[in-house]
Amino acid sequence: MTIRIRKFIGTFATLFWLVFYALVVMALGGEYVVGRGMLTELVFYVVAGVAWVPVAMVIIKWMARPDPA
């Protein structure tokens, strides 16, 4: 698979991941976190704000692999 095709697929995979992640985090936050105190909300928002990064990094690393020779 060429790098061009991987980037095309990876772009949509990243978008799908971010939309899916945002919807899940909103549902969890609304159900379990909101109204439980400022410290609980702060910790949740900080963790939720960076928890999507490892998956995005894996996708970007896959997209950036060089073409096979």
Side-chain angles (χ1 to χ4, degrees):
M1 183 178 308
T2 66
I3 193 168
R4 191 171 178 165
I5 293 172
R6 281 195 308 274
K7 285 185 178 183
F8 182 76
I9 294 169
T11 299
F12 287 104
T14 303
L15 287 173
F16 173 79
W17 165 246
L18 289 176
V19 169
F20 173 77
Y21 179 79
L23 292 173
V24 169
V25 167
M26 283 190 306
L28 291 173
E31 186 69 28
Y32 298 110
V33 178
V34 174
R36 302 245 179 181
M38 188 185 303
L39 183 60
T40 304
E41 290 182 18
L42 178 65
V43 170
F44 174 77
Y45 291 132
V46 168
V47 170
V50 297
W52 62 272
V53 173
V55 175
M57 286 174 40
V58 168
I59 294 171
I60 291 169
K61 186 176 179 181
W62 173 77
M63 286 174 21
R65 283 191 330 200
D67 287 337

